[in-house]
Amino acid sequence: MSAVSKQAPAAPMRAAIRMHEVALRRAPVWIGLAAIVAACWWFLLRTGAGSMAHGTMPMSSAHGEPLGTVFVMWAVMMAAMMLPSVVPAAALFSVLAARRDARGGNRVLSAYVGGYALAWLAYASALALLQSMLVRAMLLDPMMQRMDVVSGAVILFVAGAYQLTPLKRACLSKCRTPLGFFLANWRDGVPGAFVLGLHHGAWCVACCWALMALLFVVGAMNLAWMGVLTLVVLAEKIAPARWHLATVLGAALVVAGTVVAMHAALGS
């Protein structure tokens, strides 16, 4: 056997060892991220369960909660649902960052995740404002358990239609395979990592905003549906493109919206 053939497997092996070493060095960040996600789910579980026991919901009152309170709940929900989906991209980012600056890796990775989270916090503020407007227009139950049928059908149809658009595919490609995005927009240092995370997070918001809006239809504090949507978002990002998950889901949502609208029309 030639020397070249003996050394051929060495490069992939070295790359795997390198990624393992980087992952170990970034353990404090991964542990912290897992703790934040777990705390958010625990908070939602305790808050939702406690409110259910008293017949109320934490996001409700007779005239709707103050906007700040609603924002906090949406922010916790977005963190619980969307931070897990950043792990594949963050892992790739950490490997790239280690090649540029091995010493500041934890700070740089934390900055990237922080920028990504800020993008979703901005979207949480938009959802909080939308909820307040829907409640005041009496299109949404203040307890977030029932929505006007027509409004629900519209959200289902719009979410499904968006899943089928070229924009959705373009945004999803940057979430599913972010290497090209990272290389094209790379900035060194902690501020650069934060801006990169914010930029990438904005693409992910553009990718998944419609799926998150489905919470208005299924119930914003419905933990079961929150778990389902979390898995759907993660599956879209890690599943092979040939599976066409976004297209299948989009078609299903369009059909669901149409059925709900037809049922409402016949019922009236």
Side-chain angles (χ1 to χ4, degrees):
M1 184 179 294
S2 65
V4 174
S5 61
K6 290 180 179 179
Q7 294 177 1
M13 186 177 296
R14 285 198 300 270
I17 294 174
R18 172 71 171 170
M19 293 186 66
H20 181 68
E21 292 174 347
V22 171
L24 288 178
R25 288 198 295 269
R26 304 297 171 261
V29 179
W30 302 128
I31 293 172
L33 183 61
I36 292 173
V37 172
C40 289
W41 280 103
W42 178 85
F43 175 80
L44 292 171
L45 181 62
R46 289 295 300 270
T47 304
S51 299
M52 289 285 193
H54 292 86
T56 61
M57 291 296 288
M59 302 177 74
S60 66
S61 69
H63 304 288
E65 287 286 355
L67 188 59
T69 303
V70 177
F71 166 72
V72 169
M73 292 304 304
W74 277 108
V76 173
M77 287 191 290
M78 291 300 101
M81 299 174 68
M82 297 310 303
L83 285 182
S85 70
V86 76
V87 171
L92 175 60
F93 173 86
S94 68
V95 174
L96 297 176
R99 297 176 180 175
R100 307 281 300 203
D101 182 10
R103 294 173 298 177
N106 285 338
R107 296 193 305 273
V108 170
L109 179 57
S110 298
Y112 167 80
V113 175
Y116 179 92
L118 180 60
W120 280 103
L121 290 179
Y123 183 56
S125 66
L127 290 174
L129 181 60
L130 178 59
Q131 178 189 328
S132 178
M133 293 170 60
L134 290 172
V135 169
R136 292 182 184 280
M138 293 185 291
L139 297 175
L140 180 67
D141 185 341
M143 294 180 67
M144 289 293 289
Q145 293 179 334
R146 294 184 302 275
M147 187 176 202
D148 174 71
V149 176
V150 175
S151 300
V154 169
I155 290 179
L156 286 169
F157 189 88
V158 170
Y162 182 74
Q163 290 286 113
L164 306 176
T165 63
L167 178 58
K168 166 70 180 191
R169 292 192 293 272
C171 296
L172 181 57
S173 68
K174 289 180 171 56
C175 297
R176 180 187 288 131
T177 54
L179 178 59
F181 173 83
F182 287 158
L183 296 179
N185 298 277
W186 190 267
R187 301 182 184 185
D188 287 327
V190 171
F194 181 83
V195 172
L196 184 65
L198 180 62
H199 190 182
H200 193 224
W203 277 105
C204 291
V205 170
C207 175
C208 302
W209 68 269
L211 294 177
M212 295 298 102
L214 292 176
L215 288 170
F216 285 112
V217 180
V218 300
M221 288 299 293
N222 188 318
L223 296 183
W225 275 110
M226 286 176 59
V228 169
L229 288 174
T230 300
L231 293 177
V232 167
V233 169
L234 183 59
E236 278 194 343
K237 293 184 178 182
I238 65 176
R242 65 179 182 274
W243 289 10
H244 302 292
L245 286 183
T247 301
V248 173
L249 178 60
L253 290 172
V254 168
V255 171
T258 303
V259 170
V260 171
M262 292 177 61
H263 180 73
L266 294 174
S268 60

